[in-house]
Amino acid sequence: MSSSPVNNTAAQPVVAKLSEATLARFDREVAKYPADQKQSAVMACLSIVQQEQGWVSGEAENAIAAHLGMAPIAVREVTTFYNMYNQQPVGQFKLNVCTNLPCQLRNGQAALEHLCQKLGVDNGGTTADGLFTVQQCECLGACADAPVMLVNDRQMVSYMSHARIDELVDVLKAQAK
Amino acid sequence: MLDLSKFQSQGVETCFHDRHIKPQIYAGLNGSNWHLQDYEARGGYQALRKILDGDAAMPGGMTPDQVIAEVKASGLRGRGGAGFPTGLKWSFMPRALPVQKYLVCNSDEGEPGTCKDRDILAFNPHTVIEGMIIAAYAMGISVGYNYIHGEIFEVYERFEAALEEARAAGYLGNNILGSKHSFQLHAFHGFGAYICGEETALLESLEGKKGQPRFKPPFPASFGLYGKPTTINNTETFGAVPWIIRNGGQAYLECGKPNNGGTKIFSMVGDVERPGNYEIPMGTSFAQLLELAGGVKGGKKLKAVIPGGSSAPVLPASVMMDCTMDYDSIAKAGSMLGSGAVIVMDETRCMVKSLERLSYFYTHESCGQCTPCREGTGWLYRVVNRIEHGQGRADDLALLDSVAESIMGRTICALGDAAAMPVRGMLKHFRDEFAYHVEHKTCMVPQYV
């Protein structure tokens, strides 16, 4: 275990320094809940960190724990329970492809395979240039639009025929940073 | 944000079509008219005004008891899957108890096949907001949350924007429209966990924890969010309430059939020509619904239908074609109406392959809390997987029966049952197909050989 991002049992946990802007976003979420229930904002805070940093590091978990008055392990439990949190860095564009039965009946599995083949990665893999990560996923709740994919957790794309997948890859490459 | 507009669904195929029958929630929507002023132009927030201020028929407004009586009279039943009578649920709330109480909307729409709540929240969010305000009034609740499926993040943002509009107009907040009633409503998003659609797992998640279901009793009405009395309803259930208050419970009941009031939105998915959401009166025949969706794709023959989301037992075409789309008819046929997702499968589909995918889903999404589910869903998947891949053993069907039996009714929540029921349904109606797979190490459906 050389450069594990996991927060180990060191006496003093490493805490990420979060910007004022990030903390302001946290506080907008915290304000939704009773004063003694700040923990309710943990899922939103984790997704904010993921949006800004691309993944949830142990240091970021510690910073959220400190901000919400939670034990770091309680934050870790949330990160590891929910499918969409990235526990390791991913490509600049994370593409989740639904292959559940309703999507499978409308070529969801073929869409995943086509995307993997086009990018030269296996399911779960990231392209060598760090641009794309492809992951099979469970129901996105858009079954009538199948095949469907989720881009970076927040934008859904629909009716993804092979031709549209090819186009999507081009469009994303053009918007890469 | 990335510019992906050309790839995004606009709702034309799924919601803004003319193939609904007597729609209430989806009536008159076009994608751009989701704003508050558009909703008001459609008669929105009139139900709330009727309750608070009264109208010609009810000059003094409506008491909470009158609101609950109206909802009971409507025959509205929970649209999330269980079909529990909504008015009855509301009457369980200990209204007079002097503690903080909570109202929660379950928009964690992750039951494979279902995508109706997404379109309600994206294109008619104020009907859910108004329904929640009315429910809060009826139950004496001052704080509410809408828990939205994390995967539809744009819809969560849309709902937040609608909340801002409602606050600015005085429909949400303190002393709504000058009344003594106050209600604060907020949006919450999940982040990928099917189990959070289960109401007590949802509450755990809302408290910032792993979404592991709670043992019931106590039920949420006595011990819910933060341990306080809580009522949880589905998005479509709340969305139906303003219409009921405006037009009366009797009128709602009459659009459906006895014990199955109102309209229901069905997500027609899988092998149909026009996948999408269809709002139709309860009790409409399945044959008519299939026709609305353009029939089976490519003119193929219908083989089977999973009528209520992936957790519902599959029904063969012959049985399904005799069903009407309501709780009682589908239950009588041996399945359940569930969330209203109708997964259509044509004659070329292999049932083993289909069940393999579903079983993978349940083992992936089991929260791990109860042994029969955590271990049993894995057994189900592995056995179906080996049958699908030509490695089935002679006693595998009996093994599947046994594992399914060992899960059913032995877990804290319904996910275990939800994993076992599709297996039982498949083995009941398509046992020959599984047996053929085991014996011949290949599929009897020509396409897969």
Side-chain angles (χ1 to χ4, degrees):
Chain A
M1 298 292 282
S2 53
S3 60
S4 167
V6 176
N7 174 36
N8 54 35
T9 53
Q12 289 190 322
V14 184
V15 180
K17 176 93 177 100
L18 299 173
S19 71
E20 288 302 317
T22 303
L23 295 176
R25 291 181 74 190
F26 283 8
D27 287 337
R28 195 182 157 277
E29 299 300 327
V30 169
K32 295 176 178 177
Y33 309 101
D36 59 348
Q37 299 291 349
K38 282 160 57 171
Q39 179 169 346
S40 281
V42 66
M43 289 184 60
C45 293
L46 284 166
S47 81
I48 288 168
V49 162
Q50 178 154 308
Q51 186 189 27
E52 295 182 355
Q53 303 183 1
W55 67 298
V56 179
S57 64
E59 290 83 348
E61 286 178 337
N62 291 338
I64 291 171
H67 194 76
L68 299 180
M70 296 169 66
I73 186 65
V75 179
R76 167 61 51 87
E77 280 189 341
V78 172
T79 314
T80 54
F81 186 84
Y82 296 90
N83 295 327
M84 290 166 65
Y85 294 115
N86 304 330
Q87 298 174 53
Q88 291 86 34
V90 296
Q92 194 179 126
F93 305 113
K94 182 177 74 165
L95 305 177
N96 287 89
V97 186
C98 178
T99 60
N100 207 307
L101 180 61
C103 273
Q104 186 187 76
L105 296 172
R106 301 194 76 85
N107 296 323
Q109 181 66 34
L112 173 70
E113 287 163 12
H114 179 78
L115 182 62
C116 284
Q117 190 183 16
K118 179 169 176 71
L119 295 174
V121 292
D122 292 332
N123 173 24
T126 299
T127 53
D129 58 10
L131 278 186
F132 296 95
T133 297
V134 180
Q135 294 173 351
Q136 166 182 292
C137 72
E138 293 305 332
C139 188
L140 296 172
C143 317
D145 303 354
V148 286
M149 300 181 183
L150 194 57
V151 181
N152 287 349
D153 312 316
R154 294 191 179 217
Q155 289 178 284
M156 185 135 3
V157 293
S158 298
Y159 308 111
M160 298 308 288
S161 61
H162 290 2
R164 275 165 71 85
I165 289 172
D166 294 346
E167 201 183 348
L168 175 70
V169 168
D170 291 339
V171 165
L172 289 174
K173 276 182 179 164
Q175 296 181 59
K177 286 180 191 131
Chain B
M1 273 291 141
L2 301 162
D3 178 12
L4 300 176
S5 48
K6 68 191 295 186
F7 301 103
Q8 286 167 324
S9 168
Q10 304 301 319
V12 178
E13 297 88 344
T14 57
C15 187
F16 324 136
H17 51 70
D18 57 3
R19 300 184 304 280
H20 305 294
I21 302 174
K22 297 186 196 163
Q24 297 168 357
I25 293 175
Y26 282 172
L29 305 182
N30 65 18
S32 60
N33 61 3
W34 61 270
H35 289 284
L36 184 128
Q37 72 267 24
D38 305 306
Y39 180 64
E40 287 177 327
R42 292 193 294 271
Y45 291 107
Q46 288 303 317
L48 180 63
R49 290 180 187 279
K50 178 176 175 178
I51 286 171
L52 297 178
D53 305 336
D55 63 4
M58 292 251 183
M62 292 172 77
T63 65
D65 281 326
Q66 285 172 321
V67 173
I68 291 177
E70 206 62 50
V71 174
K72 278 186 177 168
S74 74
L76 174 64
R77 293 169 64 176
R79 300 300 196 227
F84 193 82
T86 305
L88 188 61
K89 188 186 254 190
W90 288 10
S91 70
F92 292 157
M93 179 57 103
R95 207 164 60 207
L97 208 65
V99 297
Q100 180 66 56
K101 296 178 279 290
Y102 293 100
L103 186 67
V104 174
C105 178
N106 185 346
S107 299
D108 193 30
E109 184 177 51
E111 175 75 11
T114 323
C115 51
K116 64 185 176 69
D117 296 337
R118 173 195 68 164
D119 283 0
I120 299 173
L121 293 170
F123 306 129
N124 202 8
H126 285 285
T127 193
V128 179
I129 296 173
E130 187 182 10
M132 290 189 75
I133 300 169
I134 293 167
Y137 171 82
M139 291 179 276
I141 298 173
S142 61
V143 179
Y145 296 98
N146 186 7
Y147 187 115
I148 298 172
H149 199 221
E151 288 84 340
I152 51 171
F153 208 89
E154 292 143 311
V155 174
Y156 164 78
E157 292 173 322
R158 166 67 53 84
F159 192 77
E160 289 236 295
L163 286 176
E164 283 302 330
E165 292 181 336
R167 288 179 192 126
Y171 292 122
L172 282 175
N174 294 328
N175 304 106
I176 293 170
L177 301 177
S179 72
K180 282 187 286 185
H181 181 51
S182 298
F183 183 56
Q184 316 294 335
L185 179 57
H186 302 285
F188 180 102
H189 68 77
F191 224 58
Y194 169 68
I195 189 63
C196 291
E198 197 280 340
E199 61 179 14
T200 60
L202 184 151
L203 294 176
E204 288 286 303
S205 182
L206 196 43
E207 292 181 1
K209 301 170 189 164
K210 291 188 286 186
Q212 290 189 320
R214 300 173 181 171
F215 195 81
K216 293 190 281 194
F219 291 93
S222 52
F223 189 94
L225 182 63
Y226 310 130
K228 299 293 195 297
T230 302
T231 296
I232 306 165
N233 286 122
N234 168 256
T235 318
E236 187 184 353
T237 311
F238 283 125
V241 169
W243 195 99
I244 292 169
I245 298 299
R246 276 204 310 277
N247 301 282
Q250 188 61 29
Y252 188 80
L253 182 63
E254 284 166 9
C255 341
K257 59 185 251 192
N259 198 34
N260 296 269
T263 61
K264 169 89 190 81
I265 303 169
F266 293 96
S267 302
M268 290 292 282
V269 301
D271 296 322
V272 291
E273 274 297 332
R274 293 189 291 233
N277 293 314
Y278 296 86
E279 184 175 0
I280 57 176
M282 282 279 195
T284 304
S285 70
F286 169 72
Q288 194 176 354
L289 177 59
L290 183 61
E291 201 179 301
L292 291 174
V296 179
K297 195 173 176 211
K300 292 200 177 82
K301 228 175 108 188
L302 181 68
K303 177 173 184 175
V305 176
I306 302 175
S310 65
S311 309
V314 66
L315 293 175
S318 58
V319 175
M320 197 63 206
M321 290 306 282
D322 288 337
C323 285
T324 56
M325 299 308 292
D326 56 83
Y327 298 103
D328 298 341
S329 172
I330 303 286
K332 203 173 155 208
S335 187
M336 58 183 197
L337 193 70
S339 59
V342 183
I343 305 172
V344 175
M345 301 163 82
D346 73 30
E347 58 191 327
T348 68
R349 298 303 176 181
C350 168
M351 292 296 148
V352 182
K353 186 181 172 72
S354 300
L355 183 62
E356 182 203 19
R357 186 61 187 84
L358 287 182
S359 295
Y360 175 79
F361 168 66
Y362 289 104
T363 191
H364 187 270
E365 295 298 321
S366 172
C367 83
Q369 193 172 213
C370 308
T371 308
C373 174
R374 181 188 64 241
E375 302 302 323
T377 54
W379 273 87
L380 292 176
Y381 169 63
R382 288 190 299 273
V383 174
V384 178
N385 175 269
R386 76 184 179 212
I387 296 173
E388 165 64 12
H389 291 95
Q391 291 155 356
R393 302 171 194 172
D395 56 357
D396 270 355
L397 302 195
L399 180 58
L400 287 175
D401 288 335
S402 157
V403 175
E405 168 67 26
S406 304
I407 298 173
M408 288 289 289
R410 292 176 167 82
T411 55
I412 288 174
C413 85
L415 192 141
D417 290 4
M421 284 189 294
V423 174
R424 289 180 140 191
M426 286 287 189
L427 290 177
K428 179 178 171 192
H429 295 292
F430 297 98
R431 203 172 187 92
D432 290 355
E433 210 170 304
F434 285 78
Y436 187 96
H437 249 276
V438 171
E439 191 182 340
H440 299 275
K441 314 292 181 202
T442 183
C443 189
M444 68 192 280
V445 180
Q447 183 182 325
Y448 295 98
V449 176

PDB file of all heavy atoms in Angstrom, chain A residues 47-72:
ATOM      1  N   SER A  47     -21.094  15.296  -2.666  1.00  0.00           N
ATOM      2  CA  SER A  47     -21.266  15.442  -4.118  1.00  0.00           C
ATOM      3  C   SER A  47     -20.700  16.775  -4.604  1.00  0.00           C
ATOM      4  O   SER A  47     -20.210  16.872  -5.729  1.00  0.00           O
ATOM      5  CB  SER A  47     -22.728  15.262  -4.524  1.00  0.00           C
ATOM      6  OG  SER A  47     -23.461  16.432  -4.322  1.00  0.00           O
ATOM      7  N   ILE A  48     -20.733  17.791  -3.747  1.00  0.00           N
ATOM      8  CA  ILE A  48     -20.121  19.082  -4.108  1.00  0.00           C
ATOM      9  C   ILE A  48     -18.606  18.914  -4.252  1.00  0.00           C
ATOM     10  O   ILE A  48     -17.994  19.363  -5.229  1.00  0.00           O
ATOM     11  CB  ILE A  48     -20.468  20.154  -3.050  1.00  0.00           C
ATOM     12  CG1 ILE A  48     -21.948  20.546  -3.167  1.00  0.00           C
ATOM     13  CG2 ILE A  48     -19.554  21.374  -3.187  1.00  0.00           C
ATOM     14  CD1 ILE A  48     -22.476  21.370  -1.997  1.00  0.00           C
ATOM     15  N   VAL A  49     -18.007  18.227  -3.269  1.00  0.00           N
ATOM     16  CA  VAL A  49     -16.566  17.978  -3.342  1.00  0.00           C
ATOM     17  C   VAL A  49     -16.227  17.185  -4.600  1.00  0.00           C
ATOM     18  O   VAL A  49     -15.269  17.490  -5.314  1.00  0.00           O
ATOM     19  CB  VAL A  49     -16.087  17.227  -2.076  1.00  0.00           C
ATOM     20  CG1 VAL A  49     -14.741  16.575  -2.306  1.00  0.00           C
ATOM     21  CG2 VAL A  49     -16.038  18.179  -0.891  1.00  0.00           C
ATOM     22  N   GLN A  50     -17.036  16.180  -4.876  1.00  0.00           N
ATOM     23  CA  GLN A  50     -16.772  15.358  -6.060  1.00  0.00           C
ATOM     24  C   GLN A  50     -16.877  16.191  -7.337  1.00  0.00           C
ATOM     25  O   GLN A  50     -16.084  16.035  -8.265  1.00  0.00           O
ATOM     26  CB  GLN A  50     -17.742  14.186  -6.114  1.00  0.00           C
ATOM     27  CG  GLN A  50     -17.569  13.314  -7.334  1.00  0.00           C
ATOM     28  CD  GLN A  50     -18.045  11.900  -7.086  1.00  0.00           C
ATOM     29  OE1 GLN A  50     -17.638  11.266  -6.118  1.00  0.00           O
ATOM     30  NE2 GLN A  50     -18.913  11.400  -7.940  1.00  0.00           N
ATOM     31  N   GLN A  51     -17.856  17.079  -7.381  1.00  0.00           N
ATOM     32  CA  GLN A  51     -18.006  17.924  -8.572  1.00  0.00           C
ATOM     33  C   GLN A  51     -16.778  18.823  -8.747  1.00  0.00           C
ATOM     34  O   GLN A  51     -16.301  19.033  -9.855  1.00  0.00           O
ATOM     35  CB  GLN A  51     -19.255  18.784  -8.445  1.00  0.00           C
ATOM     36  CG  GLN A  51     -19.555  19.579  -9.709  1.00  0.00           C
ATOM     37  CD  GLN A  51     -20.659  20.605  -9.522  1.00  0.00           C
ATOM     38  OE1 GLN A  51     -20.875  21.103  -8.406  1.00  0.00           O
ATOM     39  NE2 GLN A  51     -21.353  20.928 -10.585  1.00  0.00           N
ATOM     40  N   GLU A  52     -16.266  19.339  -7.630  1.00  0.00           N
ATOM     41  CA  GLU A  52     -15.158  20.293  -7.718  1.00  0.00           C
ATOM     42  C   GLU A  52     -13.803  19.613  -7.892  1.00  0.00           C
ATOM     43  O   GLU A  52     -12.910  20.150  -8.544  1.00  0.00           O
ATOM     44  CB  GLU A  52     -15.149  21.182  -6.465  1.00  0.00           C
ATOM     45  CG  GLU A  52     -16.397  22.064  -6.399  1.00  0.00           C
ATOM     46  CD  GLU A  52     -16.410  22.993  -5.184  1.00  0.00           C
ATOM     47  OE1 GLU A  52     -15.493  22.890  -4.338  1.00  0.00           O
ATOM     48  OE2 GLU A  52     -17.341  23.819  -5.100  1.00  0.00           O
ATOM     49  N   GLN A  53     -13.634  18.426  -7.260  1.00  0.00           N
ATOM     50  CA  GLN A  53     -12.312  17.804  -7.254  1.00  0.00           C
ATOM     51  C   GLN A  53     -12.246  16.529  -8.085  1.00  0.00           C
ATOM     52  O   GLN A  53     -11.167  15.961  -8.245  1.00  0.00           O
ATOM     53  CB  GLN A  53     -11.899  17.491  -5.811  1.00  0.00           C
ATOM     54  CG  GLN A  53     -11.920  18.745  -4.936  1.00  0.00           C
ATOM     55  CD  GLN A  53     -11.443  18.492  -3.507  1.00  0.00           C
ATOM     56  OE1 GLN A  53     -11.069  17.378  -3.151  1.00  0.00           O
ATOM     57  NE2 GLN A  53     -11.455  19.530  -2.693  1.00  0.00           N
ATOM     58  N   GLY A  54     -13.400  16.058  -8.556  1.00  0.00           N
ATOM     59  CA  GLY A  54     -13.412  14.864  -9.396  1.00  0.00           C
ATOM     60  C   GLY A  54     -13.580  13.578  -8.614  1.00  0.00           C
ATOM     61  O   GLY A  54     -13.947  12.560  -9.166  1.00  0.00           O
ATOM     62  N   TRP A  55     -13.274  13.602  -7.322  1.00  0.00           N
ATOM     63  CA  TRP A  55     -13.452  12.411  -6.497  1.00  0.00           C
ATOM     64  C   TRP A  55     -13.496  12.827  -5.037  1.00  0.00           C
ATOM     65  O   TRP A  55     -13.333  14.008  -4.728  1.00  0.00           O
ATOM     66  CB  TRP A  55     -12.346  11.393  -6.753  1.00  0.00           C
ATOM     67  CG  TRP A  55     -10.967  11.819  -6.308  1.00  0.00           C
ATOM     68  CD1 TRP A  55     -10.244  12.893  -6.760  1.00  0.00           C
ATOM     69  CD2 TRP A  55     -10.143  11.178  -5.323  1.00  0.00           C
ATOM     70  NE1 TRP A  55      -9.025  12.962  -6.127  1.00  0.00           N
ATOM     71  CE2 TRP A  55      -8.936  11.913  -5.243  1.00  0.00           C
ATOM     72  CE3 TRP A  55     -10.308  10.047  -4.514  1.00  0.00           C
ATOM     73  CZ2 TRP A  55      -7.903  11.546  -4.374  1.00  0.00           C
ATOM     74  CZ3 TRP A  55      -9.267   9.693  -3.659  1.00  0.00           C
ATOM     75  CH2 TRP A  55      -8.081  10.437  -3.599  1.00  0.00           C
ATOM     76  N   VAL A  56     -13.732  11.853  -4.162  1.00  0.00           N
ATOM     77  CA  VAL A  56     -13.796  12.139  -2.728  1.00  0.00           C
ATOM     78  C   VAL A  56     -12.571  11.526  -2.054  1.00  0.00           C
ATOM     79  O   VAL A  56     -12.478  10.308  -1.896  1.00  0.00           O
ATOM     80  CB  VAL A  56     -15.085  11.563  -2.107  1.00  0.00           C
ATOM     81  CG1 VAL A  56     -15.107  11.845  -0.609  1.00  0.00           C
ATOM     82  CG2 VAL A  56     -16.327  12.152  -2.777  1.00  0.00           C
ATOM     83  N   SER A  57     -11.637  12.372  -1.683  1.00  0.00           N
ATOM     84  CA  SER A  57     -10.432  11.878  -1.013  1.00  0.00           C
ATOM     85  C   SER A  57     -10.691  11.733   0.483  1.00  0.00           C
ATOM     86  O   SER A  57     -11.646  12.309   1.025  1.00  0.00           O
ATOM     87  CB  SER A  57      -9.285  12.862  -1.234  1.00  0.00           C
ATOM     88  OG  SER A  57      -9.595  14.099  -0.608  1.00  0.00           O
ATOM     89  N   GLY A  58      -9.849  10.982   1.143  1.00  0.00           N
ATOM     90  CA  GLY A  58      -9.942  10.856   2.597  1.00  0.00           C
ATOM     91  C   GLY A  58      -9.813  12.214   3.269  1.00  0.00           C
ATOM     92  O   GLY A  58     -10.491  12.502   4.262  1.00  0.00           O
ATOM     93  N   GLU A  59      -8.950  13.055   2.710  1.00  0.00           N
ATOM     94  CA  GLU A  59      -8.766  14.395   3.279  1.00  0.00           C
ATOM     95  C   GLU A  59     -10.047  15.218   3.169  1.00  0.00           C
ATOM     96  O   GLU A  59     -10.401  15.967   4.083  1.00  0.00           O
ATOM     97  CB  GLU A  59      -7.620  15.126   2.543  1.00  0.00           C
ATOM     98  CG  GLU A  59      -6.237  14.561   2.819  1.00  0.00           C
ATOM     99  CD  GLU A  59      -5.901  13.352   1.942  1.00  0.00           C
ATOM    100  OE1 GLU A  59      -6.812  12.801   1.274  1.00  0.00           O
ATOM    101  OE2 GLU A  59      -4.728  12.941   1.946  1.00  0.00           O
ATOM    102  N   ALA A  60     -10.723  15.067   2.041  1.00  0.00           N
ATOM    103  CA  ALA A  60     -11.978  15.807   1.858  1.00  0.00           C
ATOM    104  C   ALA A  60     -13.050  15.283   2.811  1.00  0.00           C
ATOM    105  O   ALA A  60     -13.822  16.051   3.389  1.00  0.00           O
ATOM    106  CB  ALA A  60     -12.452  15.687   0.414  1.00  0.00           C
ATOM    107  N   GLU A  61     -13.067  13.959   2.989  1.00  0.00           N
ATOM    108  CA  GLU A  61     -14.016  13.379   3.951  1.00  0.00           C
ATOM    109  C   GLU A  61     -13.777  13.966   5.343  1.00  0.00           C
ATOM    110  O   GLU A  61     -14.726  14.304   6.060  1.00  0.00           O
ATOM    111  CB  GLU A  61     -13.860  11.857   4.013  1.00  0.00           C
ATOM    112  CG  GLU A  61     -14.415  11.124   2.804  1.00  0.00           C
ATOM    113  CD  GLU A  61     -14.182   9.619   2.890  1.00  0.00           C
ATOM    114  OE1 GLU A  61     -13.256   9.178   3.617  1.00  0.00           O
ATOM    115  OE2 GLU A  61     -14.907   8.881   2.219  1.00  0.00           O
ATOM    116  N   ASN A  62     -12.510  14.086   5.696  1.00  0.00           N
ATOM    117  CA  ASN A  62     -12.192  14.631   7.024  1.00  0.00           C
ATOM    118  C   ASN A  62     -12.649  16.079   7.154  1.00  0.00           C
ATOM    119  O   ASN A  62     -13.128  16.504   8.211  1.00  0.00           O
ATOM    120  CB  ASN A  62     -10.685  14.529   7.285  1.00  0.00           C
ATOM    121  CG  ASN A  62     -10.247  13.080   7.460  1.00  0.00           C
ATOM    122  OD1 ASN A  62     -11.067  12.222   7.782  1.00  0.00           O
ATOM    123  ND2 ASN A  62      -8.973  12.811   7.222  1.00  0.00           N
ATOM    124  N   ALA A  63     -12.487  16.827   6.079  1.00  0.00           N
ATOM    125  CA  ALA A  63     -12.899  18.242   6.118  1.00  0.00           C
ATOM    126  C   ALA A  63     -14.421  18.345   6.268  1.00  0.00           C
ATOM    127  O   ALA A  63     -14.933  19.181   7.023  1.00  0.00           O
ATOM    128  CB  ALA A  63     -12.448  18.955   4.842  1.00  0.00           C
ATOM    129  N   ILE A  64     -15.131  17.468   5.567  1.00  0.00           N
ATOM    130  CA  ILE A  64     -16.593  17.474   5.681  1.00  0.00           C
ATOM    131  C   ILE A  64     -17.007  17.054   7.091  1.00  0.00           C
ATOM    132  O   ILE A  64     -17.905  17.649   7.701  1.00  0.00           O
ATOM    133  CB  ILE A  64     -17.216  16.541   4.613  1.00  0.00           C
ATOM    134  CG1 ILE A  64     -17.019  17.141   3.226  1.00  0.00           C
ATOM    135  CG2 ILE A  64     -18.696  16.300   4.887  1.00  0.00           C
ATOM    136  CD1 ILE A  64     -17.389  16.221   2.076  1.00  0.00           C
ATOM    137  N   ALA A  65     -16.326  16.040   7.596  1.00  0.00           N
ATOM    138  CA  ALA A  65     -16.629  15.570   8.953  1.00  0.00           C
ATOM    139  C   ALA A  65     -16.465  16.719   9.951  1.00  0.00           C
ATOM    140  O   ALA A  65     -17.326  16.940  10.819  1.00  0.00           O
ATOM    141  CB  ALA A  65     -15.706  14.408   9.323  1.00  0.00           C
ATOM    142  N   ALA A  66     -15.373  17.462   9.809  1.00  0.00           N
ATOM    143  CA  ALA A  66     -15.123  18.573  10.741  1.00  0.00           C
ATOM    144  C   ALA A  66     -16.201  19.641  10.585  1.00  0.00           C
ATOM    145  O   ALA A  66     -16.704  20.188  11.572  1.00  0.00           O
ATOM    146  CB  ALA A  66     -13.740  19.165  10.470  1.00  0.00           C
ATOM    147  N   HIS A  67     -16.575  19.912   9.341  1.00  0.00           N
ATOM    148  CA  HIS A  67     -17.549  20.977   9.088  1.00  0.00           C
ATOM    149  C   HIS A  67     -18.925  20.618   9.631  1.00  0.00           C
ATOM    150  O   HIS A  67     -19.662  21.478  10.111  1.00  0.00           O
ATOM    151  CB  HIS A  67     -17.627  21.251   7.584  1.00  0.00           C
ATOM    152  CG  HIS A  67     -18.329  22.520   7.237  1.00  0.00           C
ATOM    153  ND1 HIS A  67     -17.733  23.757   7.387  1.00  0.00           N
ATOM    154  CD2 HIS A  67     -19.579  22.765   6.782  1.00  0.00           C
ATOM    155  CE1 HIS A  67     -18.578  24.704   7.028  1.00  0.00           C
ATOM    156  NE2 HIS A  67     -19.716  24.129   6.659  1.00  0.00           N
ATOM    157  N   LEU A  68     -19.276  19.343   9.549  1.00  0.00           N
ATOM    158  CA  LEU A  68     -20.620  18.923   9.964  1.00  0.00           C
ATOM    159  C   LEU A  68     -20.657  18.361  11.381  1.00  0.00           C
ATOM    160  O   LEU A  68     -21.718  17.972  11.870  1.00  0.00           O
ATOM    161  CB  LEU A  68     -21.169  17.876   8.979  1.00  0.00           C
ATOM    162  CG  LEU A  68     -21.319  18.322   7.522  1.00  0.00           C
ATOM    163  CD1 LEU A  68     -21.871  17.186   6.662  1.00  0.00           C
ATOM    164  CD2 LEU A  68     -22.225  19.551   7.407  1.00  0.00           C
ATOM    165  N   GLY A  69     -19.506  18.294  12.012  1.00  0.00           N
ATOM    166  CA  GLY A  69     -19.479  17.763  13.371  1.00  0.00           C
ATOM    167  C   GLY A  69     -19.736  16.269  13.429  1.00  0.00           C
ATOM    168  O   GLY A  69     -20.391  15.765  14.334  1.00  0.00           O
ATOM    169  N   MET A  70     -19.200  15.555  12.418  1.00  0.00           N
ATOM    170  CA  MET A  70     -19.378  14.100  12.362  1.00  0.00           C
ATOM    171  C   MET A  70     -18.039  13.409  12.582  1.00  0.00           C
ATOM    172  O   MET A  70     -16.978  13.991  12.357  1.00  0.00           O
ATOM    173  CB  MET A  70     -19.885  13.670  10.967  1.00  0.00           C
ATOM    174  CG  MET A  70     -21.243  14.192  10.591  1.00  0.00           C
ATOM    175  SD  MET A  70     -21.584  13.891   8.822  1.00  0.00           S
ATOM    176  CE  MET A  70     -21.670  12.086   8.750  1.00  0.00           C
ATOM    177  N   ALA A  71     -18.105  12.125  12.962  1.00  0.00           N
ATOM    178  CA  ALA A  71     -16.891  11.314  12.985  1.00  0.00           C
ATOM    179  C   ALA A  71     -16.489  11.019  11.542  1.00  0.00           C
ATOM    180  O   ALA A  71     -17.363  10.739  10.713  1.00  0.00           O
ATOM    181  CB  ALA A  71     -17.146  10.008  13.727  1.00  0.00           C
ATOM    182  N   PRO A  72     -15.194  11.078  11.228  1.00  0.00           N
ATOM    183  CA  PRO A  72     -14.772  10.780   9.849  1.00  0.00           C
ATOM    184  C   PRO A  72     -15.284   9.428   9.347  1.00  0.00           C
ATOM    185  O   PRO A  72     -15.650   9.307   8.184  1.00  0.00           O
ATOM    186  CB  PRO A  72     -13.242  10.805   9.944  1.00  0.00           C
ATOM    187  CG  PRO A  72     -12.964  11.756  11.059  1.00  0.00           C
ATOM    188  CD  PRO A  72     -14.073  11.547  12.059  1.00  0.00           C
TER     189      PRO A  72
END
